[in-house]
Amino acid sequence: MTRTRLWPALAVVAMLAPAAPVAAQGTTGSVSGFVTDDTGGALPGATVTVRHIDTDQKRVMVTDAGGRYRAQQLAPGTYEVTVELQGFRTARVTDLALTVGQDAGVNLQLKVGGLDEQVVVTGEAALVNMRQSSVAALVDEKQIRELPLNGRDFSQLTLLQPGVTSSPSTQRQVDRGMGTQVSIAGARPNQISYQLDGTDANTQGNGSPGSAAGGLLGVETVREFQVLVNNYSAEYGRSTGGIVTAVTRSGTNSLKGTLFEFNRSSRLDSRTFFDDPNADIPPLKRNQFGGYLGGPIVKDRTFFFGSYEGLRQDRGLTTIATVPSRATRARADINPVTRPYLLLFPEPNGRETGATGLYSVQVTAPTRENYAIGKIDHVLSNAHSLAVRYSWDKAQVDQDQPIPFWTTDTRTRTQSLVTEHKWIVRSDVLNVAKVAWNRAYEATDNIEKMVFDPKLFFIPGTRFANLSISGLNSIGPDTNTPTFVDLKSLQLIDNFTWSRNSHNVKTGINYTYYMNDQDSSFDFGGNYSFTSLENFIQNRPGTYEGQAPGSTTDRRWRQSLVGLYAQDDWTARRNLTVNMGVRYEFITTPRELSGRTASMPDLQGASTVAGGAIFKNPSLKNVAPRAGFAWDMTGDGKNALHGGAGLFFEPILSNVYRAYGNRTPPYYNLINPANPTFPTPPTSGTSSLLRLDLVDYNIKSPYRVQYNLTYQRELPGRTIVTTGFVGSRGYNQIRNVEYNQSIPIVQAGGGYFFPSATRRNPNFGSMRLRTTDGLSWYKGLIAGASRRFSAGLAMQASYTLGKSEDLGSQAVGSADFDNSFQPRYAFDPMDNKGLSDFDIRHNFTFNATWEIPSGTLTGVPRAIAGGWQVSSIATVRSGIPFTPVLGFDRARAAPRSGGAGQTPDLVSGCPLNPVLGGADQYFDPNCFSLPALGTLGNVPRNTIIGPRFASWDMAFFKNIALAGGRRIQLRAEGFNVTNHVNLGLPQTTVFNSSGRVTNAGQITSIVGTARQWQFGVKVDF
């Protein structure tokens, strides 16, 4: 879709914005409906009172000429709806459960009679969504607190929803996101927005937020959360993928609390597939403990809620590395310069195959985390209320590398303060203002566990640095350490809602000011790369990169994001709601407080341009229309058809420009000589070429077009089934490419021939570029069934059949995905088209909670047999794709290093997906051959599908009721109870410069865990 074709649609939406619809999405819910007489005629002037039972807060309104009423911005909870009109009996609906994001439709029919006569109905709103055109899913309190969660990370529950899949190859690390990484309807994990209490919760990397421990604590503090999968309202911006919005609990008029403790020990664990069968199981000691307390300070007016959770864990695990074999170590022809470095590798203690072998060792990773939250809700008057919430989390994890000479020390600290003021101007006019201060500090460093001879340093006075050899695990610290990111943000939000007749208009502004103070070293001490073990033995280095002395990545970035929107929820008919809205969102170009900015408008230039903006602002025309409908097909609230489409922009924020904006001369120089010598590299730009990391000066705004058509049906037993189609097209998607490649000759058949590895800009070495020439495609069939908790049973099943394709999933760097690489030739984007690195074709999940009935038992038998509960989560999904690659520059295309995405040729008669199965050789490397020198192989990207994943988690509870409404809950939770082996990705390099790689196709890791058991106790009072 071109920009010129969009403008007519934008103009139409702009004219219609004052008269269109909004879905009930966000941190609150609403109750609306029609009041009629027994003939179906509208009853204007009826008084409707909506009362929150837990806090006794009331909202009073009068039905309009069409008999309509609407109570908005209601906190989730249990409500009572009362309707009164002279000459008619009073109607009352009790125990109405309102959830996050729900627009509960409650239609009432009044009977002729006196006001003192009442008709009381105990029930709920229509289960089928009759107001929203978006695809959304709710995770309720029962699921959050009763389902088995490994690590008590509630964000895992996003994976139970249709259209949501795991992204298992996305690394959890600083600058990527530390939480549970997911893809929503084909979006990259860093294209998803996370909100807590309606304010931004994303961290620097824009991936799933989480602590260094790898998740989000707070199972006892989150009331509910909603996952917005596709075509959500104009109220939401910042991301082109889905939205995950959670709401914290509040105190009520009742004093309530919980104490809990969960313990786990390796004594009850099973071995992983790669644990030594003759050794003890790696030790594990895990303890999670804490509680919450909430209640009234002043009854009906002021309420408090507070919680603390702690985590203490010492986890053992078996790491496996590929190292030189004993035969290699004993060779007499090892170059004397490389010999001391080769002998640093540990001797293999596992299987040896030719020149390499396996080295495994048990290591222990200590984890410490503390989390706390406090919240105050205060009713100032009937028209004004105030809420303040503060949360704090601090975590530290130490993890040894596969060659355990270094420990990666990762630390996180987050703080969030949110203040909300709600003003009921009139019964049909409401204003909600929020102010939020967020801080997310992330740091990582490599701690040496042994003393290295300074004579082995590449750059004197630095450290022993990184040595990468194709076919082996690298030896050395992480090239991105030491790094810290201290992202602070101030967010101002105001939402104004006005209901009149059939229209519910909502407008608002969202202003965020980002303060990103950080220092991210890169290649400190140097980084040598060899294209084969043989080249290392003979001292023939491939590439060298090293941070020049005097360089600095100390930056203080400042940037603003502004979003404006108008949305109207128009009840066109009693059985038809039309949703239309428009959002305008733009950024300011980032500035650095010390003036350390540089750009390169001319990529063929001889130098960068110091000062000024690092890119031109592409966002000033980012107008995003959205529209949809919800149709009650049969008029009884049991069958609904939803559909819609919308435009969603992704702003260029610090996750895109931060690292590359830090690494630009003259403030940072990265040495990258054309013909490096080992181990004494040049140390200044005057004696060597420089490598550049650049943001495209003419970068564009990435955007996606989302669309959906779904059908929803209510079945007996409080069950809803949903099926439909969701899709998207992505434009201007960010790609991370090598610009400074050699120039090929286009052959008669359209292929490329590279006569030499001469870079197109001779003034520099490698030039990595973040640009926006990518495209993406997603099509998904979703199906789900959900039974709300009733008669002791709740169930949910979700299935997604999806296909995600793009021109490259890597947006930030090689750590985006374990199966990712730079495109082999940047100037032909379509050459890199293939399945997305996170594509999962089939994804099925099932979860259930069952309170086992005890029948008519009484006394001691009931005490023994009663109170039992079973919960379960089952997941089965397809594997993610990967590509067989070359470990050297066979094509002479001049990549950054190695083969960088170059593929082999397919042997005649072999399939593109030659899977054998098993860990020893998952795919057949003999199905691939070397392409002709100077050419690119004919194997496309991501044609081999990795191992599938299956897991079944279960929990058994015994609830013991005590006097005064107190309860003790004993819990036993098992994870991967069938002990199914879920293998990780294999070694994908099939050829290096010395020939075939002997361990191609070998798998040395698992996904998830072996069977583990956890025992806990909760005391509710």
Side-chain angles (χ1 to χ4, degrees):
M1 183 181 295
T2 65
R3 186 63 58 87
T4 55
R5 291 166 64 185
L6 283 174
W7 279 115
L10 297 178
V12 171
V13 171
M15 290 186 291
L16 292 178
V22 67
Q25 299 164 352
T27 63
T28 60
S30 63
V31 177
S32 63
F34 291 87
V35 178
T36 62
D37 60 23
D38 53 11
T39 68
L43 290 178
T47 300
V48 181
T49 303
V50 179
R51 183 176 73 91
H52 188 209
I53 293 175
D54 290 336
T55 61
D56 201 39
Q57 301 305 302
K58 301 181 181 70
R59 195 77 62 83
V60 181
M61 65 222 73
V62 176
T63 57
D64 63 14
R68 304 177 191 88
Y69 74 94
R70 179 183 292 272
Q72 300 189 89
Q73 295 288 336
L74 300 173
T78 304
Y79 283 82
E80 177 186 78
V81 180
T82 304
V83 181
E84 299 174 305
L85 183 63
Q86 189 67 40
F88 292 87
R89 299 178 185 177
T90 299
R92 177 173 289 117
V93 176
T94 62
D95 296 328
L96 174 67
L98 184 66
T99 60
V100 171
Q102 181 184 10
D103 188 351
V106 180
N107 300 323
L108 292 110
Q109 190 176 82
L110 301 188
K111 304 290 186 180
V112 176
L115 282 175
D116 55 348
E117 299 179 77
Q118 293 191 8
V119 177
V120 179
V121 179
T122 301
E124 61 186 356
L127 297 178
V128 173
N129 169 23
M130 296 297 172
R131 301 284 193 273
Q132 303 168 6
S133 60
S134 61
V135 178
L138 174 75
V139 180
D140 63 25
E141 284 188 285
K142 199 75 174 175
Q143 292 174 300
I144 293 172
R145 278 177 271 287
E146 304 296 348
L147 290 176
L149 298 176
N150 198 343
R152 287 176 54 81
D153 170 18
F154 70 85
S155 67
Q156 298 171 24
L157 296 173
T158 58
L159 296 169
L160 303 182
Q161 313 311 318
V164 182
T165 57
S166 175
S167 182
S169 66
T170 301
Q171 297 186 19
R172 299 185 185 188
Q173 65 176 53
V174 172
D175 200 29
R176 294 298 189 277
M178 304 295 294
T180 301
Q181 301 296 329
V182 303
S183 169
I184 299 181
R188 296 169 178 168
N190 60 10
Q191 292 178 317
I192 299 168
S193 182
Y194 294 84
Q195 297 184 357
L196 182 60
D197 294 328
T199 63
D200 190 9
N202 285 61
T203 55
Q204 146 66 34
N206 215 50
S208 174
S211 71
L216 286 174
L217 297 186
V219 164
E220 305 299 330
T221 67
V222 173
R223 181 179 178 90
E224 296 168 338
F225 68 89
Q226 191 180 35
V227 182
L228 307 179
V229 175
N230 186 276
N231 195 37
Y232 32 89
S233 80
E235 182 180 353
Y236 294 96
R238 194 187 186 281
S239 299
T240 61
I243 308 287
V244 179
T245 177
V247 179
T248 55
R249 298 170 74 175
S250 295
T252 66
N253 276 326
S254 300
L255 184 65
K256 296 180 180 180
T258 290
L259 296 174
F260 64 86
E261 183 165 13
F262 292 83
N263 284 283
R264 199 182 302 181
S265 170
S266 57
R267 288 176 296 179
L268 296 173
D269 289 354
S270 298
R271 299 181 189 278
T272 70
F273 184 80
F274 296 105
D275 285 339
D276 185 346
N278 300 314
D280 292 337
I281 293 176
L284 171 65
K285 292 182 179 179
R286 181 185 178 94
N287 188 331
Q288 277 182 273
F289 53 91
Y292 83 87
L293 183 65
I297 298 176
V298 178
K299 186 178 180 181
D300 296 343
R301 293 188 64 85
T302 308
F303 311 92
F304 77 95
F305 179 86
S307 178
Y308 165 79
E309 185 167 358
L311 169 63
R312 307 292 183 266
Q313 174 179 279
D314 293 299
R315 176 178 176 239
L317 65 155
T318 300
T319 62
I320 301 176
T322 303
V323 298
S325 66
R326 289 180 177 83
T328 299
R329 297 169 67 93
R331 285 177 55 169
D333 61 341
I334 300 174
N335 188 289
V337 174
T338 60
R339 176 178 291 275
Y341 295 91
L342 185 145
L343 296 180
L344 277 176
F345 285 90
E347 290 190 9
N349 56 13
R351 189 180 63 177
E352 298 182 55
T353 307
T356 64
L358 296 180
Y359 171 76
S360 64
V361 64
Q362 285 189 8
V363 299
T364 300
T367 298
R368 303 292 183 266
E369 183 172 11
N370 292 287
Y371 166 83
I373 188 171
K375 186 177 182 181
I376 298 291
D377 294 272
H378 178 62
V379 179
L380 299 168
S381 67
N382 289 336
H384 296 272
S385 61
L386 189 68
V388 180
R389 187 263 299 162
Y390 174 75
S391 60
W392 174 88
D393 183 276
K394 184 178 181 180
Q396 178 180 354
V397 177
D398 292 331
Q399 173 72 61
D400 283 355
Q401 295 186 4
I403 297 178
F405 300 159
W406 290 266
T407 292
T408 301
D409 177 64
T410 303
R411 306 182 183 213
T412 57
R413 185 174 65 251
T414 60
Q415 296 170 277
S416 176
L417 177 65
V418 178
T419 301
E420 176 187 275
H421 174 258
K422 188 177 295 183
W423 177 23
I424 304 173
V425 184
R426 297 195 315 255
S427 62
D428 59 349
V429 178
L430 181 69
N431 191 82
V432 179
K434 297 183 182 183
V435 179
W437 169 266
N438 295 303
R439 183 179 187 181
Y441 176 87
E442 304 170 291
T444 184
D445 199 0
N446 281 122
I447 302 171
E448 293 180 351
K449 299 181 65 177
M450 60 179 289
V451 177
F452 293 91
D453 187 346
K455 294 179 182 178
L456 298 179
F457 292 6
F458 305 148
I459 301 176
T462 57
R463 65 179 181 180
F464 185 91
N466 193 270
L467 186 59
S468 176
I469 303 167
S470 178
L472 301 182
N473 282 77
S474 62
I475 187 168
D478 189 327
T479 58
N480 292 289
T481 62
T483 288
F484 83 84
V485 178
D486 189 4
L487 177 65
K488 300 169 287 292
S489 65
L490 174 65
Q491 192 171 13
L492 307 176
I493 303 171
D494 191 82
N495 294 309
F496 179 82
T497 306
W498 174 52
S499 296
R500 184 174 179 82
N501 297 328
S502 60
H503 294 280
N504 185 62
V505 179
K506 191 172 185 180
T507 61
I509 182 171
N510 188 327
Y511 170 79
T512 307
Y513 181 61
Y514 295 103
M515 296 152 277
N516 193 348
D517 301 330
Q518 43 75 45
D519 195 344
S520 55
S521 295
F522 185 69
D523 282 341
F524 175 62
N527 178 17
Y528 274 100
S529 175
F530 290 80
T531 58
S532 69
L533 178 56
E534 184 64 29
N535 279 344
F536 175 65
I537 290 172
Q538 302 302 328
N539 193 14
R540 296 191 291 261
T543 59
Y544 170 80
E545 299 173 351
Q547 179 176 309
S551 296
T552 178
T553 55
D554 180 13
R555 299 289 188 275
R556 293 178 294 164
W557 295 105
R558 299 295 183 266
Q559 187 182 23
S560 295
L561 172 67
V562 181
L564 305 164
Y565 76 93
Q567 181 86 24
D568 180 18
D569 186 7
W570 175 35
T571 306
R573 295 165 53 185
R574 289 187 184 179
N575 67 338
L576 178 64
T577 300
V578 181
N579 305 118
M580 292 182 65
V582 64
R583 184 177 185 88
Y584 174 53
E585 190 169 64
F586 63 92
I587 61 169
T588 61
T589 51
R591 61 188 179 92
E592 203 281 316
L593 294 186
S594 300
R596 295 172 179 159
T597 61
S599 62
M600 197 167 181
D602 180 8
L603 294 173
Q604 288 299 121
S607 64
T608 60
V609 178
I614 60 176
F615 58 80
K616 291 193 296 185
N617 191 340
S619 68
L620 299 181
K621 296 181 180 180
N622 287 358
V623 180
R626 301 165 195 183
F629 68 90
W631 174 31
D632 181 357
M633 301 170 65
T634 53
D636 58 1
K638 296 184 182 297
N639 292 273
L641 187 68
H642 315 99
L647 192 62
F648 301 79
F649 282 93
E650 178 182 353
I652 304 297
L653 298 177
S654 60
N655 65 305
V656 176
Y657 65 77
R658 180 195 67 86
Y660 281 22
N662 295 351
R663 303 174 190 165
T664 311
Y667 312 105
Y668 176 88
N669 293 315
L670 190 63
I671 308 302
N672 187 207
N675 298 294
T677 58
F678 180 84
T680 54
T683 58
S684 70
T686 58
S687 58
S688 168
L689 295 174
L690 296 179
R691 195 198 101 177
L692 299 181
D693 285 346
L694 301 168
V695 177
D696 191 342
Y697 186 73
N698 297 301
I699 198 168
K700 300 175 182 179
S701 289
Y703 68 96
R704 297 172 82 219
V705 178
Q706 299 181 10
Y707 44 91
N708 73 83
L709 183 66
T710 61
Y711 169 74
Q712 207 169 53
R713 165 75 175 171
E714 180 181 343
L715 299 178
R718 302 186 71 194
T719 300
I720 303 174
V721 294
T722 303
T723 185
F725 174 81
V726 296
S728 68
R729 280 292 309 271
Y731 302 87
N732 299 339
Q733 300 297 286
I734 300 170
R735 293 204 311 156
N736 183 43
V737 305
E738 172 60 51
Y739 170 81
N740 206 15
Q741 294 185 274
S742 55
I743 300 175
I745 297 171
V746 181
Q747 297 176 307
Y752 299 107
F753 176 75
F754 297 82
S756 69
T758 302
R759 296 192 181 275
R760 62 186 62 211
N761 185 340
N763 300 296
F764 296 97
S766 169
M767 295 171 63
R768 288 203 300 177
L769 182 70
R770 286 182 185 164
T771 188
T772 47
D773 61 354
L775 299 170
S776 68
W777 301 260
Y778 178 76
K779 297 177 181 179
L781 172 68
I782 61 172
S786 176
R787 173 192 165 98
R788 292 194 179 183
F789 190 76
S790 176
L793 179 64
M795 295 188 297
Q796 181 188 15
S798 301
Y799 172 71
T800 303
L801 170 62
K803 184 178 182 180
S804 180
E805 297 177 289
D806 56 32
L807 305 186
S809 304
Q810 185 184 118
V812 177
S814 57
D816 281 7
F817 305 93
D818 292 335
N819 53 336
S820 186
F821 47 78
Q822 285 186 316
R824 59 186 185 178
Y825 185 52
F827 295 87
D828 183 1
M830 293 303 294
D831 175 69
N832 204 50
K833 183 178 180 181
L835 296 176
S836 301
D837 295 341
F838 47 87
D839 176 72
I840 291 177
R841 188 61 45 85
H842 301 278
N843 190 79
F844 174 79
T845 64
F846 174 82
N847 69 88
T849 297
W850 180 35
E851 295 181 352
I852 301 174
S854 56
T856 59
L857 296 175
T858 59
V860 175
R862 183 177 181 84
I864 296 174
W868 287 98
Q869 180 178 325
V870 179
S871 296
S872 180
I873 298 177
T875 302
V876 180
R877 64 172 183 255
S878 305
I880 56 175
F882 63 91
T883 308
V885 295
L886 308 182
F888 70 110
D889 186 13
R890 176 72 172 179
R892 299 188 294 237
R896 173 196 171 193
S897 63
Q902 293 182 29
T903 62
D905 279 342
L906 184 69
V907 173
S908 178
C910 279
L912 284 171
N913 185 26
V915 170
L916 301 174
D920 291 338
Q921 196 167 75
Y922 179 75
F923 66 89
D924 186 359
N926 295 313
C927 278
F928 306 103
S929 62
L930 278 174
L933 186 64
T935 66
L936 301 171
N938 62 17
V939 173
R941 168 174 162 254
N942 281 346
T943 60
I944 305 179
I945 306 302
R948 71 180 181 91
F949 177 91
S951 181
W952 183 18
D953 302 336
M954 290 197 70
F956 302 91
F957 305 160
K958 171 63 174 177
N959 297 305
I960 304 172
L962 303 176
R966 293 169 294 173
R967 183 186 72 165
I968 296 176
Q969 185 181 71
L970 305 177
R971 303 170 65 120
E973 300 176 343
F975 307 105
N976 190 13
V977 293
T978 61
N979 202 30
H980 181 78
V981 177
N982 293 299
L983 295 173
L985 290 174
Q987 161 65 253
T988 59
T989 303
V990 292
F991 290 97
N992 58 29
S993 58
S994 296
R996 288 193 179 274
V997 175
T998 56
N999 64 343
Q1002 186 177 70
I1003 297 176
T1004 58
S1005 64
I1006 64 169
V1007 178
T1009 67
R1011 179 171 51 238
Q1012 294 181 332
W1013 285 98
Q1014 173 174 277
F1015 297 91
V1017 59
K1018 292 179 65 176
V1019 180
D1020 299 328
F1021 57 88

